[in-house]
């Protein structure tokens, strides 16, 4: 059964016209032919709202006694029995009177939606649970009746009913909201202009957030990448440095200038999981941006400007806030920097703000070496510094500063060796030390321009230079490697912590896990492959990314998981040190896949258990309920054929009557079994025709004793649109069930009446009745309530009756008979265009 649709009229304040708008919508739907009823509407004695109730069918309310007072609440059972297409339910956040079916009215609405009934309801912005503290701060009034935000967010449609504070106060002054004796107090307290303005802003912002969710969903479904400047969305680029706090606060001020602005802070990490950012500082900045109402995001990408712009366009950002570079002027030789690159490549649809801060232009550390994966540009710069640097320094010293001294010359050459180690690692530094020592020997150590040294002290000096250069290069390279290892271990610990947490939380999304794996290692695609055996072909259990591979041999990286499962990644080759984390991902993927399959198997097991229950009940029915009439027929036939007994005509007629009754019982039982089979396979196709109810009911009761049923079917009833054959079976099964349980001498009463566009047939018995918790269960297959005698049927009559009723567009429900017993209510539709039976609603239906 499909879930009903929920439409909510959200009001910015009491009295803005939510109920009036809901009733107007009901009239529009009724005029279009929609079956729309009023489940609960509170007009609060407002004349215009009360007038809107005229012409709408109203479900009578249910009285609930509480502390010697009777209160009225929505009758959920009556709405479910009536089963309209649309029901109006006012005041979604209302708390029901103790003793009601549910504690909150939104829970009543949830039941109606689960039953496939569309619901139109109302709620004020101050009743949303998340806004309780804010509303209390604004108005000084604590809202006791609230509704969870998620209930409202799940609505299929949310329509804001808004009114300016001045217009609402005029409505109040004219007496259109409260009675005259309450107007002055309301205007001077809750309905002050400031309160109404703040509530209005809350409502507008909340609905804007909901509209933004729809917009993001639409852009994702249609692959739209360009920025739509529907609202201000500001992205803050963080480096992990202390200036991030300044940038976040500046972005928050920019967002406050435009209503509904949103701040998204993003930190770009390289694909190998390494960064020079302080985890503690990033944690502080995450807390700050969340305190200011923004969100923090961690994105992986080697090209930081490109990754930042991709993220900004992906979230439909309108502005990017970046800090002014911390580089000194000479450090721009390594590139123009992230800020300048983003500003140039942002395009006309995203504005870039460059914010000054205390660390601007105060220097930036040279990039640290990253072990074996420095990148081509870093290695080139390291060799250039280690080789070309000493050559240029030699030219400068020999031409401009020839008398600087050997000691100072050595220190300058040592500087280039350290720089080479910082940029390119150990090999460029060793080359720089060797090349620098040769240049020092040739150009600055007597005898000049010869690779010989005359003074032994200079031999010692050059030897010390080489030793210091090699030692410094080794220490710098070792420190860089240790930094690299620490960063890797930190990244690995975060990933492993995530995987362990996902296990404890019981997360079952395999696609989300593979997507996290793809982002962690910046892969093009990730696929989880499996096969039934070693010689069987590989199949894809799950995959994310573009063009996933179908065999492990085609992948850039494959991680076996047992003998017949593998994780295949394409995009680039990973070093061996990454396979430990990859193995953890692979093990978790296998666990999640097994968990998903166990959940699916549990669902199938429940279905099989239900099938086994029905089969067991069927076997029990066949073993007794079908065999009993066969035994009676067999005994009667055997008696008639016996030559030892001379049967009288009266005895012979009795035996033949028993045979006929047994055959009729068998025919009825087998017919119900076949009908239930047709319903389960969906092969019941009704032929809807207009017919009179007084022509069908007497025919359906033809097989029952004349004194067991009393009929009251007025000839003035409107025609009903039904399948004649199916309706006969429904009436026969329902009345037969009532006669079966009705006491001897108390006939079953069958009556019919009409109300608006429907006709109700009521089958009333005075039997033992059925408790409320079993009223729905009696319509399930193979159910016989209470102490039903054996041989009373297989428990399919009512199940078949309800199935046929729903097939012809009607409803069949059970309710208590006043004074004891059970009443079956069969509701049927009149043909479209038939005028209502009554021009106005009965007084009992008007609240």
């Amino acid at each position: 059964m499909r879930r009903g649709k929920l439409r909510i009229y959200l009001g910015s304040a009491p009295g803005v016209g939510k109920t009036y708008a809901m009733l107007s919508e009901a009239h529009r739907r009724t005029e279009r032919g929609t079956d729309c009823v009023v489940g609960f509407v509170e007009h609060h004695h407002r004349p215009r709202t009360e007038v809107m109730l005229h012409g709408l069918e109203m479900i009578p309310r249910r009285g609930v006694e509480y502390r010697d007072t009777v209160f009225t609440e929505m009758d959920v059972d009556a709405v479910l029995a009536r089963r309209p297409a649309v029901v109006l339910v006012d005041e979604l956040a209302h708390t029901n009177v103790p003793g009601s079916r549910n504690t909150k009215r939104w829970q009543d609405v949830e039941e109606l939606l689960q039953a496939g009934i569309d619901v139109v309801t109302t709620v004020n912005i101050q009743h949303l649970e998340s806004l309780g503290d804010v509303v209390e701060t604004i108005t000084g009034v604590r809202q006791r009746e609230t509704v969870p935000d998620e209930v409202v967010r799940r609505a299929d449609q949310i329509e804001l009913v808004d009114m300016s504070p001045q217009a609402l106060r005029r409505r109040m002054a004219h007496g259109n909201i409260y009675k005259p004796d309450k107007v002055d107090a309301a205007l001077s307290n809750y309905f002050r202009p400031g309160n109404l303005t703040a509530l209005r802003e809350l409502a507008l912002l909340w609905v804007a957030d909901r509209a933004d969710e729809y917009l993001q969903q639409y852009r994702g479904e249609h692959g739209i990448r360009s920025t739509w400047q529907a609202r201000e969305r500001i992205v803050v680029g963080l480096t992990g440095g202390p200036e991030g706090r300044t940038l976040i606060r500046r972005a928050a001020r920019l967002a406050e200038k435009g209503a509904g602005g949103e701040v998204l802070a993003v930190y770009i990490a390289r694909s190998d999981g390494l960064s020079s950012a302080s985890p503690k500082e990033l944690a502080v900045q995450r807390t700050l941006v969340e305190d200011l109402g923004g969100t923090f995001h961690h994105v992986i990408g080697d090209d930081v400007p490109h990754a930042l712009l991709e993220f900004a366009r992906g979230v439909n950002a309108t502005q990017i806030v970046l800090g002014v570079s911390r580089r000194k002027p000479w450090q721009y030789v390594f590139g123009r920097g992230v800020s300048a690159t983003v500003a140039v490549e942002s395009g006309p649809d995203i504005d870039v703000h460059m914010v000054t801060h205390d660390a601007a232009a105060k220097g930036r550390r040279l990039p640290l070496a990253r072990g074996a994966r420095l990148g081509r540009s870093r290695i080139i710069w390291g060799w250039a510094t280690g080789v070309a640097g000493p050559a240029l320094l030699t030219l400068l010293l020999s031409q401009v500063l020839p008398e600087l001294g050997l000691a100072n010359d050595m220190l300058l050459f040592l500087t280039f060796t350290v720089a080479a180690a910082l940029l390119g690692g150990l090999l460029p530094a060793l080359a720089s030390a060797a090349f620098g020592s040769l240049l020092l020997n040739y150009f600055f150590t007597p005898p000049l321009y010869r690779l010989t040294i005359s003074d032994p002290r200079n031999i010692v000096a050059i030897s010390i230079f080489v030793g210091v250069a090699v030692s410094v290069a080794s220490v710098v390279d070792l420190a860089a490697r240790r930094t690299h290892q620490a960063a890797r271990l930190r990244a690995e610990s975060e990933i492993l912590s995530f995987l362990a947490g996902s296990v404890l939380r019981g997360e079952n999304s395999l696609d989300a896990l593979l997507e996290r794996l793809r982002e962690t290692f910046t892969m093009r695609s990730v696929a989880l492959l499996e096969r039934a055996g070693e010689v069987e072909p590989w199949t894809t259990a799950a995959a994310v990314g573009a063009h996933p591979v179908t065999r492990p041999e085609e992948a850039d990286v494959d991680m076996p998981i047992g003998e017949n499962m593998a994780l295949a990644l394409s995009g680039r080759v990973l070093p061996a040190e990454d396979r430990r984390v990859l193995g953890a991902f692979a093990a978790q993927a296998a666990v999640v896949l097994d968990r998903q399959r166990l959940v699916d198997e549990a669902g199938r097991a429940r279905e099989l258990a239900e099938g086994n229950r029905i089969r067991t009940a069927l076997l029990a029915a066949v073993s007794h309920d079908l065999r009993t009439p066969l035994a009676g027929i067999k005994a009667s036939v055997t008696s008639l054929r016996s030559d030892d007994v001379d049967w009288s005509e009266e005895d012979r007629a009795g035996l033949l009557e028993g045979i006929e009754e047994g055959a009729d019982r068998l025919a009825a039982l087998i017919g119900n079994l076949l009908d239930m089979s047709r319903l389960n396979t969906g092969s019941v196709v009704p032929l809807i025709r207009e017919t009179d109810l007084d022509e069908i009911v007497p025919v359906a009761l033809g097989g029952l004793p004349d004194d067991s049923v009393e009929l009251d079917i007025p000839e003035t009833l409107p025609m009903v649109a039904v399948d004649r054959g199916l309706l006969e079976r429904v009436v026969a099964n329902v009345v037969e069930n009532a006669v079966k349980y009705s006491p001897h001498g108390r006939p079953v009463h069958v009556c019919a009446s009409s109300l608006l566009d429907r006709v109700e047939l009521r089958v009333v018995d005075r039997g033992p009745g059925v408790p409320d918790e079993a009223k729905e269960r009696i319509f399930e297959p193979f159910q016989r309530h209470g102490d039903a005698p054996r041989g009373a049927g297989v428990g399919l009559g009512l199940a078949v009756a309800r199935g046929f009723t729903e097939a012809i567009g009607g409803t069949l429900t059970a309710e208590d008979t006043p004074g004891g017993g059970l009443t079956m209510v069969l509701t049927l539709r009149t043909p479209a265009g038939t005028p209502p039976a009554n021009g106005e609603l009965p007084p009992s239906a008007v609240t």
Side-chain angles (χ1 to χ4, degrees):
M1 177 184 298
R2 76 167 184 90
R3 176 182 170 86
K5 294 185 177 180
L6 178 62
R7 178 170 183 169
I8 295 179
Y9 285 91
L10 178 66
S12 56
V16 294
K18 306 180 304 300
T19 305
Y20 189 93
M22 179 180 67
L23 293 173
S24 299
E25 175 65 19
H27 280 285
R28 286 192 293 270
R29 296 194 183 200
T30 302
E31 291 170 359
R32 295 195 298 264
T34 304
D35 180 23
C36 185
V37 302
V38 176
F40 186 97
V41 168
E42 189 62 70
H43 54 70
H44 297 290
H45 303 290
R46 297 169 186 168
R48 296 185 178 181
T49 304
E50 191 171 359
V51 168
M52 293 295 293
L53 287 169
H54 296 324
L56 297 176
E57 177 188 349
M58 301 183 66
I59 303 295
R61 300 185 186 184
R62 182 172 62 90
V64 180
E65 185 175 352
Y66 180 65
R67 294 183 178 178
D68 300 328
T69 304
V70 177
F71 300 88
T72 59
E73 296 287 358
M74 180 176 66
D75 194 337
V76 180
D77 290 325
V79 176
L80 292 173
R82 169 65 175 78
R83 200 172 184 81
V86 181
V87 61
L88 309 184
V89 182
D90 205 4
E91 299 178 356
L92 183 64
H94 172 74
T95 301
N96 293 329
V97 177
S100 300
R101 183 189 188 99
N102 293 304
T103 304
K104 305 287 291 187
R105 183 164 293 162
W106 64 264
Q107 296 171 327
D108 295 337
V109 168
E110 186 66 23
E111 279 197 45
L112 299 178
L113 294 173
Q114 291 291 345
I117 301 174
D118 295 346
V119 178
V120 182
T121 186
T122 65
V123 69
N124 280 329
I125 190 66
Q126 67 264 27
H127 293 300
L128 294 182
E129 200 169 72
S130 65
L131 300 178
D133 295 337
V134 179
V135 172
E136 184 179 12
T137 302
I138 295 171
T139 64
V141 178
R142 183 67 181 183
Q143 298 295 329
R144 301 300 178 186
E145 295 186 330
T146 61
V147 59
D149 289 43
E150 186 59 29
V151 174
V152 182
R153 286 186 177 275
R154 286 201 306 263
D156 299 277
Q157 296 183 52
I158 299 177
E159 183 169 334
L160 178 64
V161 183
D162 185 31
M163 182 178 290
S164 68
Q166 295 77 10
L168 184 57
R169 285 171 59 84
R170 283 196 299 270
R171 289 193 63 192
M172 175 71 70
H174 293 160
N176 294 331
I177 301 178
Y178 293 157
K179 293 182 179 180
D181 58 340
K182 297 181 179 179
V183 170
D184 291 339
L187 289 176
S188 59
N189 290 283
Y190 193 89
F191 285 81
R192 293 195 302 268
N195 290 357
L196 298 179
T197 302
L199 292 174
R200 188 186 191 195
E201 183 180 13
L202 279 177
L204 291 171
L205 290 176
W206 198 92
V207 174
D209 286 338
R210 177 64 171 162
D212 188 64
E213 292 177 9
Y214 282 128
L215 178 61
Q216 292 298 332
Q217 181 180 355
Y218 178 86
R219 283 168 53 84
E221 291 174 352
H222 292 78
I224 299 173
R225 302 293 295 169
S226 60
T227 299
W228 287 3
Q229 299 186 3
R231 64 181 296 184
E232 291 296 335
R233 184 173 281 106
I234 304 170
V235 170
V236 184
L238 302 178
T239 64
E243 74 278 3
R245 307 181 198 182
T246 303
L247 303 183
I248 292 171
R249 295 189 181 96
R250 178 58 176 161
R253 291 196 298 271
L254 289 173
E256 290 173 356
K257 293 181 179 179
E262 183 180 358
V263 176
L264 300 91
V266 58
Y267 172 71
I268 310 294
R270 297 188 181 276
S271 61
D272 56 5
L274 306 180
S275 68
S276 58
S278 166
K280 181 179 179 181
E281 181 62 31
L282 283 178
V284 171
Q285 294 175 14
R286 179 192 291 269
T287 303
L288 175 61
V289 71
E290 291 175 352
D291 290 342
L292 294 174
T295 56
F296 185 92
H297 303 268
H298 189 280
V299 177
I300 296 175
D302 288 321
D303 189 340
V304 175
H306 177 74
L308 181 60
L309 288 171
E310 282 296 308
F311 175 83
R313 294 190 175 102
V315 299
N316 199 28
T318 57
Q319 302 179 55
I320 296 178
V321 174
L322 299 171
V324 173
S325 178
R326 287 177 289 162
R327 297 182 176 189
K328 289 184 177 295
W330 65 269
Q331 290 178 319
Y332 280 95
V333 69
F334 300 107
R336 61 186 177 185
V338 173
S339 301
T341 304
V342 170
V344 171
E345 299 180 1
S346 61
D349 53 348
I350 301 179
D351 297 331
V352 179
H353 299 265
M354 307 288 287
V355 179
T356 59
H357 49 85
D358 294 337
K362 290 188 176 179
R364 177 184 174 189
R365 293 178 302 169
L366 290 174
L368 295 177
R370 302 188 186 275
R373 289 188 286 170
L374 292 172
R376 180 176 298 177
S377 61
R378 290 285 302 279
I379 294 175
I380 292 175
W381 275 107
W383 282 99
T385 302
V387 177
L392 294 175
L393 180 61
T394 300
L395 181 62
L396 176 65
L397 294 177
S398 60
Q399 299 296 327
V400 180
L401 299 171
E403 303 298 332
L404 194 59
L406 182 59
N408 293 327
D409 294 340
M410 288 183 178
L411 291 176
L412 291 175
F413 275 93
L414 185 61
T415 301
F416 279 96
T417 301
V418 173
L422 291 172
L423 286 173
L426 182 60
L427 290 180
L430 294 178
S432 178
F435 186 51
S437 63
L438 291 176
L439 293 177
L440 283 171
N441 184 9
Y442 189 82
F443 289 98
F444 302 103
T445 305
L448 299 179
Y449 311 116
R450 293 177 60 184
L451 292 176
T452 58
I453 302 174
S454 59
D455 191 344
R457 290 175 298 178
N458 291 337
I459 296 176
V460 175
I462 295 227
S463 300
I464 293 174
F465 165 78
V466 173
V468 170
V470 172
S471 300
V472 170
S474 300
V475 170
V476 170
D477 183 74
L478 180 61
R481 290 179 182 274
R482 292 291 181 264
T483 302
H484 166 78
Q485 293 172 0
R488 283 195 56 82
L489 291 175
R490 182 176 68 247
E492 289 181 8
S493 64
E494 291 177 356
I495 294 170
L496 295 175
S497 175
F498 161 78
L499 293 176
S502 65
V503 172
L504 295 176
R505 292 188 297 269
E507 296 177 356
N508 294 324
S509 176
L510 182 58
D511 289 343
L513 179 68
L514 297 184
E515 182 64 27
R516 175 64 183 262
L517 171 60
R518 189 180 70 86
E519 292 178 355
T520 299
F521 295 104
T522 61
M523 288 294 181
R524 184 178 66 253
S525 65
V526 178
L528 182 61
L529 307 177
E530 62 177 348
R531 59 183 178 182
E534 294 184 0
V535 296
E536 299 294 329
W538 290 95
T539 60
T540 302
V544 296
H547 309 296
V549 299
T550 57
R551 294 189 305 167
E553 296 81 9
E554 301 172 354
D556 294 316
V557 181
D558 70 284
M559 171 62 68
I561 311 173
E563 295 182 354
N564 299 317
M565 187 178 293
L567 201 60
L569 297 83
S570 58
R572 63 187 178 90
V573 177
L574 293 180
E577 58 195 25
D578 284 337
R579 296 187 70 84
R580 179 174 56 181
V581 176
L582 184 59
F585 269 107
Q588 178 65 7
V591 170
V592 172
L593 180 61
D594 288 341
R595 186 183 296 130
Q596 286 183 351
R597 289 177 173 172
L598 288 174
V599 171
D600 294 340
E601 290 179 3
R604 289 193 293 270
R606 285 191 294 269
E607 295 176 359
L608 291 174
E610 178 64 17
N612 288 333
R613 186 188 68 82
I614 294 178
R615 282 191 292 271
T616 302
L618 178 59
L619 289 174
V622 171
S623 65
H624 187 281
D625 297 300
L626 294 181
R627 190 169 60 182
T628 299
L630 282 175
I633 294 172
K634 175 67 174 176
S636 298
V637 170
T638 302
S639 299
L640 288 174
R641 296 187 61 187
S642 174
D643 297 331
D644 300 335
V645 181
D646 186 12
W647 302 102
S648 64
E649 290 297 326
E650 182 179 353
D651 292 337
R652 187 179 297 274
L655 291 172
L656 290 174
E657 183 180 357
I659 293 173
E660 185 178 10
E661 290 179 356
D664 289 340
R665 287 178 59 189
L666 277 177
L669 293 173
I670 294 174
N672 281 334
L673 289 172
L674 294 176
D675 290 337
M676 181 54 61
S677 175
R678 292 169 60 200
L679 288 171
N680 288 336
T681 57
S683 59
V684 177
V685 181
L687 182 62
I688 304 298
R689 292 286 187 271
E690 297 182 13
T691 187
D692 288 318
L693 200 60
D694 58 354
E695 296 179 0
I696 298 177
V697 176
V699 176
L701 305 182
L704 297 172
D706 295 336
D707 59 348
S708 63
V709 179
E710 293 180 352
L711 277 180
D712 182 12
I713 309 294
E715 296 181 357
T716 57
L717 286 175
M719 301 182 74
V720 291
V722 296
D723 182 301
R724 186 184 180 99
L726 295 182
L727 182 58
E728 285 183 11
R729 293 298 306 276
V730 171
V731 175
N733 283 6
V734 172
V735 176
E736 181 184 351
N737 184 79
V739 171
K740 186 187 306 179
Y741 290 96
S742 188
H744 182 70
R746 301 293 298 273
V748 173
H749 186 63
V750 180
C751 59
S753 60
S754 63
L755 179 62
L756 295 179
D757 61 343
R758 70 182 188 273
V759 173
E760 286 187 352
L761 181 70
R762 308 178 76 87
V763 179
V764 183
D765 69 58
R766 295 294 179 179
V770 175
D772 291 340
E773 63 271 12
K775 282 188 173 63
E776 281 298 311
R777 195 164 61 248
I778 61 176
F779 293 103
E780 297 178 3
F782 303 106
Q783 294 293 323
R784 294 186 297 185
H785 178 68
D787 55 353
R790 300 298 297 179
V794 294
L796 284 176
L798 293 182
V800 170
R802 171 169 277 192
F804 283 172
T805 301
E806 293 177 349
I808 61 178
T811 59
L812 179 62
T813 56
E815 61 184 39
D816 294 330
T817 300
L822 187 69
T823 297
M824 291 290 182
V825 182
L826 175 63
T827 304
L828 304 171
R829 301 291 177 197
T830 58
T834 303
N838 299 307
E840 296 183 358
L841 292 174
S844 61
V846 180
T847 58

